[in-house]
Amino acid sequence: MSHAVLSPSSSSRWLNCPPSVRLCEEFEDEVSTYALEGTAAHSLCEYRLKKALGREVTNPIQDLSFYNEEMEECAEYYTTYVMEIIGKYKKPIVLIEERLDLSSYVKNSFGTADALVLGDKDLHIMDYKHGQGVVVSAFDNPQLKLYGLGALHLFDDIYDIEKVHLHIVQPRRENISEFEITKEELYQWAEEELRPKAELAFQGEGEFSCGDWCRFCKAKNKCRKRSEMALEIAREEFKLPPLLSEEEMEDALLILDGLESWIKDIKEYALKKALEGHKWKGYKLVEGRANRRYINEEKIAKLVKKLGYEPYEQKLKGITAMSKMLGKKEFEEKLGSFLERPRGKPTLVPRSDKREEMETVKDEFGGKNYD
């Protein structure tokens, strides 16, 4: 499958760090099992959505290496959500896995939208995410905004579109995210930010910059800018936490995630090179600790039963498995009142995080202590 040099999926990186595009060309593509699983999940989602729309489609399940019950549930989750959007309009236009031309703003660029829904004066861009590591937000999402521009290229001369709705559907994180932008705002972003940054990126020019977008950069382990940033942080002689001023503490918090990520990436890269035969000075490759495990569980169970013991533990089915066994309707009617969602462990996150802020004792009695 061919990919654009400036692909929508990597747009967060090349918009923030334009020269990273050409730097990454020096590294070979490595397709992870996560990416392959995601591709399989997209194929299943496409099949389920087309089937729900009554379209002729070939069942791909027998060819999906990563197919399992969870993937089927995710595809159903996605299909239900998209069908709800479609159901809002009398005669919507629905395109699935539509290739979009983005070259009007980004040289030689194209992308494929999971689903497009056009109804009345609304244009909806649907994007399925199978990953469960990072929660993806539709808020000001450059990948989805690029898809929006590509869809406007198809429809804007024919239909009177006013608003573009960007949707992220991420079932494994129970994440549904939507962001609304006017057509005029999208075109303004394309002219003022997208086009100039894309031109720099295509030429391999501009300034290197480090941030969250480094996560999926092929050059992240050897990037000099990232190394300089991390080492500069490491050189800082911070006082012990109790002696830091609040301003110093805030500065430290802003950079610690980047430093931890850089350390993790360097260690993973060094391990990979060692496995390939490289000898690092001062380090050696050894076999880690491992726990014993049964070779044949069925045989073990039979032997234990002969000895007069019960080899198996009884365990209540999980919520997903129980819901599937009973059916969603009966599950909610009979067991819904016995379910609860415990409060999560308090976690400190950047203010850009979309979760609602917790109230503390000081908040309740003395007010918040930030601007």
Side-chain angles (χ1 to χ4, degrees):
M1 181 184 293
S2 61
H3 295 280
V5 174
L6 300 181
S7 68
S9 60
S10 62
S11 56
S12 177
R13 174 170 53 80
W14 54 258
L15 282 168
N16 285 286
C17 184
S20 66
V21 174
R22 296 303 179 184
L23 180 63
C24 285
E25 290 181 339
E26 301 176 15
F27 299 85
E28 294 183 6
D29 287 325
E30 295 184 3
V31 181
S32 68
T33 55
Y34 301 112
L36 293 173
E37 184 181 22
T39 299
H42 273 80
S43 296
L44 184 62
C45 286
E46 177 185 3
Y47 167 67
R48 290 301 178 200
L49 182 54
K50 285 182 176 179
K51 190 174 180 181
L53 290 168
R55 301 180 184 179
E56 290 188 10
V57 60
T58 302
N59 190 329
I61 291 177
Q62 63 180 6
D63 298 321
L64 299 181
S65 302
F66 294 87
Y67 177 78
N68 55 28
E69 181 180 314
E70 181 190 37
M71 187 179 290
E72 189 66 69
E73 291 174 353
C74 289
E76 180 184 349
Y77 186 98
Y78 167 77
T79 300
T80 300
Y81 181 78
V82 178
M83 292 300 292
E84 287 177 356
I85 300 297
I86 294 171
K88 294 179 179 180
Y89 305 98
K90 289 184 178 180
K91 293 183 178 180
I93 295 172
V94 182
L95 302 180
I96 301 171
E97 290 297 318
E98 182 70 16
R99 183 180 167 111
L100 302 171
D101 180 9
L102 309 174
S103 59
S104 296
Y105 299 97
V106 182
K107 189 173 181 179
N108 299 340
S109 186
F110 57 87
T112 302
D114 295 336
L116 304 177
V117 179
L118 179 62
D120 298 337
K121 296 184 179 183
D122 296 327
L123 173 62
H124 294 266
I125 312 296
M126 323 298 299
D127 193 44
Y128 174 84
K129 300 294 186 186
H130 194 63
Q132 59 180 342
V134 179
V135 175
V136 184
S137 172
F139 179 80
D140 211 25
N141 187 298
Q143 178 182 3
L144 296 192
K145 289 199 290 186
L146 275 163
Y147 289 157
L149 290 169
L152 286 174
H153 180 74
L154 287 177
F155 297 123
D156 201 22
D157 291 337
I158 307 172
Y159 300 96
D160 184 18
I161 299 170
E162 291 184 357
K163 293 181 180 179
V164 180
H165 303 263
L166 310 178
H167 303 259
I168 292 288
V169 183
Q170 192 177 11
R172 298 170 86 191
R173 292 302 301 265
E174 298 183 353
N175 174 39
I176 294 287
S177 178
E178 180 181 355
F179 177 66
E180 179 185 298
I181 187 171
T182 66
K183 178 178 68 177
E184 290 73 21
E185 289 172 334
L186 191 53
Y187 279 138
Q188 182 179 3
W189 172 77
E191 291 295 342
E192 295 180 0
E193 183 174 351
L194 175 63
R195 192 191 297 278
K197 289 288 183 67
E199 290 176 357
L200 284 173
F202 194 84
Q203 298 299 326
E205 300 174 350
E207 297 293 328
F208 285 100
S209 177
C210 300
D212 289 341
W213 49 88
C214 296
R215 182 183 292 112
F216 300 112
C217 180
K218 289 188 289 186
K220 65 181 179 181
N221 297 321
K222 286 196 167 184
C223 175
R224 184 168 297 279
K225 181 69 176 180
R226 194 167 181 236
S227 174
E228 289 173 351
M229 179 201 72
L231 291 175
E232 184 61 33
I233 294 169
R235 289 191 193 101
E236 291 291 334
E237 295 182 0
F238 286 119
K239 304 170 187 174
L240 292 174
L243 303 179
L244 287 172
S245 68
E246 291 186 359
E247 290 76 15
E248 289 174 319
M249 182 68 78
E250 287 188 351
D251 289 342
L253 287 170
L254 288 172
I255 59 180
L256 285 180
D257 285 345
L259 180 57
E260 288 175 353
S261 176
W262 179 76
I263 292 171
K264 177 176 176 288
D265 291 336
I266 289 295
K267 287 185 174 181
E268 288 179 353
Y269 178 79
L271 176 60
K272 178 176 177 292
K273 295 296 290 183
L275 290 169
E276 293 172 354
H278 182 81
K279 301 294 185 181
W280 296 103
K281 292 181 179 178
Y283 287 87
K284 62 183 178 180
L285 197 63
V286 298
E287 186 174 305
R289 295 182 60 185
N291 295 323
R292 295 185 300 171
R293 63 185 181 188
Y294 298 126
I295 297 174
N296 187 321
E297 291 190 0
E298 186 177 347
K299 191 172 183 179
I300 288 288
K302 288 180 179 179
L303 289 172
V304 172
K305 283 183 177 180
K306 284 184 179 181
L307 294 171
Y309 298 95
E310 174 55 50
Y312 294 107
E313 294 179 332
Q314 281 193 331
K315 185 179 179 181
L316 191 65
K317 288 179 179 292
I319 290 176
T320 300
M322 192 76 78
S323 176
K324 189 173 183 65
M325 181 178 70
L326 299 178
K328 290 185 178 180
K329 184 177 180 181
E330 186 174 7
F331 176 82
E332 292 298 334
E333 289 178 353
K334 305 294 186 182
L335 306 182
S337 61
F338 296 98
L339 301 180
E340 67 172 356
R341 185 184 295 276
R343 296 195 66 174
K345 181 181 178 181
T347 304
L348 197 61
V349 299
R351 291 214 164 268
S352 57
D353 191 287
K354 301 304 174 187
R355 284 170 288 184
E356 184 178 351
E357 185 168 13
M358 289 178 60
E359 293 292 327
T360 65
V361 174
K362 186 169 184 177
D363 292 337
E364 294 176 0
F365 294 99
K368 295 180 174 62
N369 57 356
Y370 54 80
D371 295 332

